[in-house]
Amino acid sequence: MSLKKVVISSATGILFLYAMLIASTFYFFDTKELHKAFTDERVLHAIWISVIAACVATIMAVLLAVPSAYALSRYSFKLKSTVDVFLELPMIVSPAALGAILLIFFSTPLGLLIRDNVLDVVYTFSGIVLAQFITVLGICTRLMKAVFDEIPVRYENIARTLGASPRQAFFKISLPLAKKGLLSAIILTWAKAVGEFGATITVAGSMAMKTETLPTAIFMKLSMADIKGTVMIILILFGISMSLLIFTRYLLRNKQYD
Amino acid sequence: MIELRNITIRAGQFLLENVCLKAEAGKFHVLLGPSGSGKTLLLETIAGLIMPTSGEIYLSEKLIHKIPSENRNISYLPQDNALFPNKNVFENIAFGLKLKKQFSNATIEEKVNDMASKLNVSHLLSRSVINLSGGEQQRVALARALVVNTPILLLDEPTSSLHESMQEDFCLLLKKLQKEYKLTVLMTTHHKDSAFLVADSLHFVDKGTIRLSANIQTIYQSLLPKNIAHLLGVSNFFTLSTANQNNQFYCEELKTTFAFTQKTIENTTFSIGVKPENIRVIKEEDIHNKYPNRFVAEVEEMLFKENDTLVLLKVPETSFRLKMQLTTYNQKKLNISVGKLLHCKIKEEYISFVY
């Protein structure tokens, strides 16, 4: 078999693998159950909590990731390679371990001080946001660094010779050029935050109508052997994520710098 | 005046070392050198985009090498033009003016329109820069650099991406604009013809240093390093040694004696170079006349260019080979063909001294 056929088979194999798994959920599809899921106050609350927490976590991550990614892309500084390694921490450490680390931190004197005087994150909505934020921060920064890496530094250099300060060159040239890529990174970060489970359940638990998100609701339904209920929530979560991915593709369909 | 004093720049493995340059204000200066010689690095350092490791840069006797790029008042046109791809032609040209915050929108529009008209890009103002041709992109980038009205313009290989037929026109446009705006221009190129079209003075960059600076009119009379002479189109090199006391020197390669009447030479052995077009054929009826600096060579091969013929000559006694270029019209008129023995001469004023 030619190399071309082998690699194309490999790529289409991935599609079939995921498609088969998704299709298998439809084996238990039931319109009545779907209607029930959309009218169930607990499920609606989980959707609401998931969406809001993911939005807050994404905003926090973006605020830190944009300047950090730009620094990693453009400048040489001490600890740069260490920062680069730590961006992968949420990818190499399991989410449950990350959640446990957060719980341990909030059990130290400093953590307790924060819980008593600033914000209590254990078994609260803030805990969900924090768990999602910690999980997505690294990937968000990594995605945004790749976006800035793609933009040639010569545009900023030319802007400088035309009278722009480094700040003006960033805001008037680099940021507008990065707009599409950054938006795509934001959407993927948000999708990752919505689907976060391990760290969230460890830090915030799964209290119905309080800290239950869509992924934790799936876990709870499954633990009660409610397969049809589980499938409906999976499909809701899948629908939200796929809509976002399609929207991202749509945004990036045109020329690079539109 | 732009003055570089002992500038050293390290960029990865590449080192520009102890570069000294004086570029007189209001003149067109060309940095000529092969690719990878450090010309672009030098321009970027003057523009403030790269910090030198050591040395000083003066602009009108003011030390500027620690001044940030945006405050140097130097425009820079990079090799690839670097037009902002998310802005249209008008926005690209207006970019520097908008930053100044001293002009109203109407003034900016007027200035952009004036400059666009000068560079013949008025019809492109609302177009995206992505769809422009190479020549159009170049003129838009030049308009963007000129409209901010800086006294110094740095041009990095501006003709390299242009079709041969457009290079000459663009050089003439550059020269015209330089005179009109009384600009001090520093242009890099590895293209000798472009350099000679525009330059008031030439600065040869080679292996990370400026090897020679010379006025365009006197360049061939300067003592030239061999590789620079080669860059200038000198491709025939000979060694001369003292023949007698009368300023005459013997050339072993050509088996002839050279006489110098315009210059007193103190060296006993030295090298000279001659461009192929400066070797002339002595007509058959004049063979018996006494010409200085003459030699005999056989036509070994002929290569035809558009209107010229490159003749490869071989000196029969030494098998030394040299190149001669003449118009195809003259080649036919003189009935030059392969195998023919030619009497050639080299005028003293066309001889370059090399080392």
Side-chain angles (χ1 to χ4, degrees):
Chain A
M1 200 188 285
S2 70
L3 177 72
K4 187 180 171 186
K5 281 183 181 170
V6 170
V7 292
I8 290 175
S9 305
S10 162
T12 44
I14 293 173
L15 171 69
F16 280 118
L17 181 67
Y18 285 125
M20 189 179 66
L21 290 173
I22 291 159
S24 68
T25 60
F26 284 92
Y27 185 74
F28 295 97
F29 185 78
D30 185 336
T31 44
K32 278 183 191 167
E33 278 294 329
L34 187 66
H35 181 259
K36 198 175 141 193
F38 272 117
T39 50
D40 184 347
E41 209 176 323
R42 188 174 161 181
V43 175
L44 290 175
H45 190 269
I47 295 173
W48 174 247
I49 286 278
S50 294
V51 169
I52 296 299
C55 286
V56 178
T58 303
I59 290 167
M60 286 165 62
V62 167
L63 287 176
L64 196 54
V66 172
S68 309
Y70 186 72
L72 289 164
S73 173
R74 290 291 189 266
Y75 304 113
S76 294
F77 55 91
K78 279 182 186 172
L79 299 177
K80 181 178 173 176
S81 53
T82 317
V83 173
D84 207 48
V85 169
F86 270 77
L87 291 182
E88 275 151 24
L89 187 77
M91 287 173 253
I92 55 168
V93 175
S94 84
L98 266 186
I101 292 169
L102 276 173
L103 276 183
I104 291 163
F105 171 76
F106 284 105
S107 303
T108 62
L110 176 63
L112 288 170
L113 196 72
I114 293 169
R115 284 174 66 182
D116 292 342
N117 299 295
V118 185
L119 197 67
D120 192 8
V121 296
V122 181
Y123 301 118
T124 63
F125 173 77
S126 308
I128 302 170
V129 172
L130 186 66
Q132 291 182 348
F133 167 70
I134 292 294
T135 312
V136 300
L137 179 61
I139 186 90
C140 182
T141 310
R142 173 74 77 222
L143 287 169
M144 289 184 171
K145 180 183 177 292
V147 174
F148 285 121
D149 284 345
E150 283 289 306
I151 298 166
V153 74
R154 66 179 188 277
Y155 293 131
E156 289 165 43
N157 284 343
I158 290 305
R160 299 282 308 278
T161 65
L162 292 167
S165 65
R167 193 182 291 263
Q168 285 174 316
F170 173 73
F171 283 107
K172 289 182 185 290
I173 300 297
S174 304
L175 208 55
L177 286 176
K179 187 176 66 184
K180 266 190 163 185
L182 293 184
L183 196 57
S184 164
I186 290 168
I187 290 168
L188 289 173
T189 302
W190 190 88
K192 171 95 176 136
V194 160
E196 211 295 314
F197 170 70
T200 308
I201 199 162
T202 315
V203 176
S206 180
M207 288 184 277
M209 305 298 288
K210 197 181 173 202
T211 62
E212 191 177 57
T213 61
L214 280 176
T216 52
I218 291 168
F219 177 74
M220 296 309 287
K221 288 267 183 197
L222 199 61
S223 63
M224 291 185 289
D226 180 359
I227 304 295
K228 283 190 176 174
T230 305
V231 165
M232 295 313 124
I233 301 174
I234 288 171
L235 290 175
I236 290 168
L237 188 57
F238 179 71
I240 292 170
S241 303
M242 278 311 284
S243 310
L244 272 167
L245 285 175
I246 291 165
F247 181 57
T248 309
R249 288 292 173 117
Y250 174 76
L251 281 178
L252 297 175
R253 80 201 184 282
N254 286 330
K255 287 165 201 148
Q256 202 177 355
Y257 300 119
D258 274 2
Chain B
M1 157 105 88
I2 305 168
E3 190 178 352
L4 308 186
R5 291 187 195 163
N6 299 316
I7 288 289
T8 296
I9 313 152
R10 185 174 284 283
Q13 296 291 310
F14 189 80
L15 182 70
L16 263 172
E17 209 166 13
N18 288 324
V19 175
C20 295
L21 171 78
K22 279 186 182 176
E24 201 185 327
K27 300 278 182 194
F28 207 121
H29 303 268
V30 173
L31 297 169
L32 185 64
S35 299
S37 57
K39 304 185 295 293
T40 300
L41 205 57
L42 213 51
L43 282 199
E44 288 182 344
T45 307
I46 296 168
L49 304 174
I50 292 174
M51 282 301 286
T53 316
S54 64
E56 291 157 343
I57 304 172
Y58 290 87
L59 180 60
S60 304
E61 294 177 9
K62 187 182 164 195
L63 192 63
I64 62 156
H65 74 277
K66 284 184 180 162
I67 295 176
S69 183
E70 61 270 27
N71 298 331
R72 287 194 184 190
N73 224 10
I74 295 174
S75 289
Y76 175 47
L77 178 62
Q79 192 172 354
D80 65 349
N81 304 316
L83 291 171
F84 306 130
N86 58 331
K87 296 182 187 296
N88 67 18
V89 171
F90 180 90
E91 290 163 341
N92 262 279
I93 300 174
F95 183 81
L97 293 173
K98 283 183 179 170
L99 286 170
K100 287 187 189 290
K101 289 183 179 163
Q102 66 192 67
F103 303 117
S104 66
N105 284 345
T107 312
I108 290 173
E109 200 171 328
E110 191 187 326
K111 282 175 179 287
V112 171
N113 284 333
D114 281 353
M115 189 53 73
S117 158
K118 258 186 189 126
L119 289 162
N120 198 23
V121 291
S122 298
H123 60 294
L124 305 171
L125 285 174
S126 59
R127 292 255 303 267
S128 159
V129 295
I130 296 167
N131 302 320
L132 303 180
S133 71
E136 288 170 339
Q137 285 195 9
Q138 195 124 41
R139 280 182 280 135
V140 172
L142 186 61
R144 184 179 65 177
L146 286 172
V147 79
V148 289
N149 202 22
T150 57
I152 296 168
L153 176 64
L154 309 178
L155 305 165
D156 189 13
E157 301 269 6
T159 57
S160 64
S161 61
L162 297 178
H163 187 269
E164 213 170 303
S165 60
M166 292 166 71
Q167 286 181 358
E168 201 175 281
D169 288 343
F170 194 71
C171 283
L172 292 172
L173 174 69
L174 287 175
K175 189 71 183 173
K176 184 181 153 224
L177 292 167
Q178 182 261 328
K179 281 184 177 164
E180 186 180 339
Y181 290 99
K182 296 181 176 62
L183 294 167
T184 307
V185 176
L186 236 77
M187 177 178 112
T188 67
T189 184
H190 59 270
H191 201 265
K192 180 195 61 147
D193 294 342
S194 299
F196 273 81
L197 269 175
V198 294
D200 293 313
S201 65
L202 288 171
H203 308 272
F204 292 92
V205 188
D206 184 39
K207 291 173 188 158
T209 192
I210 291 181
R211 301 275 306 269
L212 180 80
S213 292
N215 189 295
I216 193 82
Q217 273 87 32
T218 57
I219 186 74
Y220 287 104
Q221 278 78 56
S222 308
L223 180 62
L224 300 170
K226 217 174 224 178
N227 60 338
I228 289 175
H230 203 271
L231 202 66
L232 288 170
V234 178
S235 56
N236 300 310
F237 297 100
F238 321 111
T239 306
L240 306 187
S241 50
T242 311
N244 57 40
Q245 299 298 317
N246 301 324
N247 221 22
Q248 290 194 345
F249 298 86
Y250 187 69
C251 177
E252 182 62 35
E253 293 102 332
L254 300 180
K255 290 283 178 196
T256 191
T257 303
F258 278 77
F260 294 92
T261 54
Q262 297 163 13
K263 213 172 201 175
T264 306
I265 297 156
E266 290 171 359
N267 294 13
T268 52
T269 304
F270 56 94
S271 297
I272 60 165
V274 181
K275 293 170 87 175
E277 56 266 40
N278 290 331
I279 294 177
R280 302 285 160 83
V281 179
I282 303 170
K283 291 177 193 165
E284 282 185 26
E285 59 266 32
D286 297 333
I287 281 174
H288 302 293
N289 291 347
K290 283 193 173 178
Y291 288 107
N293 313 339
R294 59 187 287 173
F295 62 94
V296 178
E298 183 191 333
V299 177
E300 192 174 54
E301 201 170 337
M302 293 200 298
L303 301 170
F304 297 95
K305 293 183 181 178
E306 207 172 341
N307 294 314
D308 296 323
T309 305
L310 185 69
V311 182
L312 302 178
L313 299 170
K314 188 171 91 174
V315 180
E317 292 175 65
T318 59
S319 292
F320 181 80
R321 286 171 172 83
L322 65 156
K323 291 177 200 161
M324 176 179 74
Q325 186 174 314
L326 70 171
T327 60
T328 305
Y329 172 77
N330 277 337
Q331 175 259 321
K332 284 180 180 161
K333 194 176 157 194
L334 294 166
N335 198 22
I336 297 171
S337 56
V338 174
K340 188 173 180 179
L341 215 56
L342 298 178
H343 290 262
C344 305
K345 62 179 179 180
I346 301 167
K347 279 192 176 176
E348 185 182 344
E349 56 264 39
Y350 295 135
I351 292 174
S352 300
F353 292 85
V354 299
Y355 66 96

